[in-house]
Amino acid sequence: MTDSDGTFPEELDDLVGSGSDGLQQDLDDRRALRRVGGLSTELQDVTEVEYRQLRLERVVLIGVWTQGTRENAETSMHELAALAETAGSEVLDALIQRLDKPDSATFIGSGKAKELRDVVISTGADTVVCDGELTPGQLRQLEEVVKVKVIDRTALILDIFAQHARSREGKAQVALAQMQYMLPRLRGWGESMSRQAGGRVAGGGGIGTRGPGETKIETDRRRIRTAMARLRREIAAMSKARVTMRQERRRSQQPSVAIAGYTNAGKSSLLNRLTGAGALVDDALFATLDPTVRQARAKDGRSYTITDTVGFVRHLPHQLVEAFRSTLEEVAEADLILHVVDGAHEDPQGQLAAVREVLREVDAGGVPEIVVINKADAADPIMLARLVRSEPHSVVVSCRTGQGIDELLAAIERDLPSPDVEVHALVPYERGSLVARTHRDGVVLSEEHTGDGTLIRARVGLALAAELAPYSLVGPTDDPQPAPVR
């Protein structure tokens, strides 16, 4: 009763979805492990592997569909396939099971685990990747059934981060996240992992081997905890430079803009368009892990910083959020977030929701944002119109063609905080640095060079207004009044 591609005909789908009691339970059980079409990336020509000079792991994907529509479940599996390819794997097959909740023992149920084992044998796979985070018990028991390596979504993302980290701080952050993930999952096999002995039953070591001791796993855990403490100290020390720069920006009241968004949505391309930064752009997930900060200038003369940050993804591992917290603080401390979303993606609303969930986790949920709908040149116009209706404070752009960039710059200038104190001062020429700072950090309304100095009227922050106060032309009874914030 199956079609040639192994799926069930539409009339049976209708029967199952109609509330009929007859074959519904039986069909649900028979359909429980469904093949997801179009996900195989197996290479047809071995020369491609030779050219890449690496041995690609051959993986089978497995997922559990617990809620939402089938389309949502398959979208998640397509994303898992993209993650596996980014990590350097060939996707041979992808299977999905409909369950109320993942099986507590083997994630997909013992019977379906045996079916998965048959698929692994028939495809020649050497790895199974699960679309979810497995408990240590699920990981161990599923491996015992399928007889090949099993990893979950979290381990896959951590592996990609480890491959892409370039800076010393980025490598330390990834190492810390991997250790946090590894610590509860340490396991051993039999007596080879034990350093305890006591009589014949406990290993038969005889005299001199009995008594208390430390198991190999306990030793490994202690060493990992020691390494984690060292990494936390190193990350804290390395983040001081970023904290100092943020404090300097706050002191000078220089606005900051953070680019955030889903991985591969085009954040680095947008930074290059706005500032000519020359940041790495690659059609791959998590191509950017280390933040890039560049200076930009508004049309009214104000300068502000733009920071490119690490991309987010659905179910971003908590360990990564914690390890990268010092980096993600760039977003939380920003005055404005450019939330980039891939307008050509099949589920942009899901991307927006996933990113906002992480932003709330790093206390950036209250920062004003502009939704930048990127890749307009490749997007469906109907989808773009729907996104614009659902996100009123949005701008449609194409970083490839430059479409909408001027409109985005105007929106940034409109939403950036403006200096709130208007000053009118005659600054001596020997204090020209104050005039330069006024141009850099404030909004110059008028400027005139006289015989006694530079006559300047501008809106500046409180700190700079205090430095300009000795040269102010405002009467002693008239305090500088805050100008209305635009």
Side-chain angles (χ1 to χ4, degrees), residues 18-31:
S18 66
S20 171
D21 292 329
L23 295 176
Q24 183 170 348
Q25 186 173 357
D26 184 42
L27 283 174
D28 277 343
D29 182 64
R30 289 168 58 189
R31 298 188 337 157

Side-chain angles (χ1 to χ4, degrees), residues 46-244:
V46 72
T47 58
E48 184 175 345
V49 180
E50 294 171 351
Y51 171 74
R52 293 168 71 168
Q53 293 185 335
L54 52 84
R55 179 185 177 277
L56 298 179
E57 289 189 66
R58 298 163 60 83
V59 305
V60 171
L61 310 180
I62 182 69
V64 172
W65 165 24
T66 58
Q67 59 185 359
T69 64
R70 182 190 303 172
E71 288 74 18
N72 291 338
E74 294 193 354
T75 295
S76 182
M77 292 296 287
H78 279 277
E79 183 174 274
L80 185 68
L83 289 168
E85 292 173 36
T86 301
S89 302
E90 298 175 37
V91 178
L92 305 180
D93 211 340
L95 307 167
I96 192 167
Q97 184 186 18
R98 182 72 169 95
L99 287 175
D100 291 333
K101 61 179 181 179
D103 185 82
S104 59
T106 55
F107 186 66
I108 57 171
S110 57
K112 298 305 173 187
K114 293 176 182 177
E115 292 184 29
L116 176 62
R117 168 62 178 163
D118 295 338
V119 174
V120 168
I121 293 174
S122 64
T123 58
D126 51 34
T127 305
V128 171
V129 182
C130 297
D131 191 19
E133 183 167 340
L134 303 185
T135 66
Q138 288 173 328
L139 189 67
R140 181 179 65 255
Q141 294 186 57
L142 189 56
E143 274 192 353
E144 288 177 355
V145 176
V146 299
K147 305 300 182 185
V148 295
K149 180 174 69 175
V150 176
I151 64 172
D152 58 16
R153 185 186 182 95
T154 299
L156 180 61
I157 294 175
L158 289 172
D159 182 81
I160 296 171
F161 270 59
Q163 293 182 46
H164 290 183
R166 291 292 177 267
S167 70
R168 182 165 168 255
E169 183 180 15
K171 292 177 180 179
Q173 289 168 326
V174 172
L176 177 59
Q178 287 179 317
M179 290 180 183
Q180 289 174 325
Y181 172 81
M182 185 193 315
L183 187 60
R185 291 169 173 80
L186 286 179
R187 54 200 167 117
W189 292 267
E191 298 171 359
S192 63
M193 297 293 286
S194 176
R195 292 177 182 171
Q196 294 176 332
R200 301 180 199 173
V201 178
I207 297 174
T209 63
R210 290 183 282 269
E214 185 178 40
T215 65
K216 176 67 163 57
I217 290 180
E218 288 170 349
T219 303
D220 290 342
R221 285 176 180 156
R222 176 168 48 81
R223 293 175 61 189
I224 288 176
R225 290 191 184 100
T226 302
M228 287 170 58
R230 176 179 54 79
L231 285 171
R232 287 193 178 99
R233 290 194 299 269
E234 290 180 1
I235 292 171
M238 287 184 284
S239 65
K240 286 181 180 178
R242 190 179 298 110
V243 171
T244 301

Side-chain angles (χ1 to χ4, degrees), residues 164 166 267-269 272 277-282 286-289 292 308:
H164 290 183
R166 291 292 177 267
K267 298 182 297 301
S268 298
S269 298
N272 291 342
L280 169 67
V281 174
D282 191 12
F286 301 116
T288 301
L289 294 188
T292 304
D308 183 19

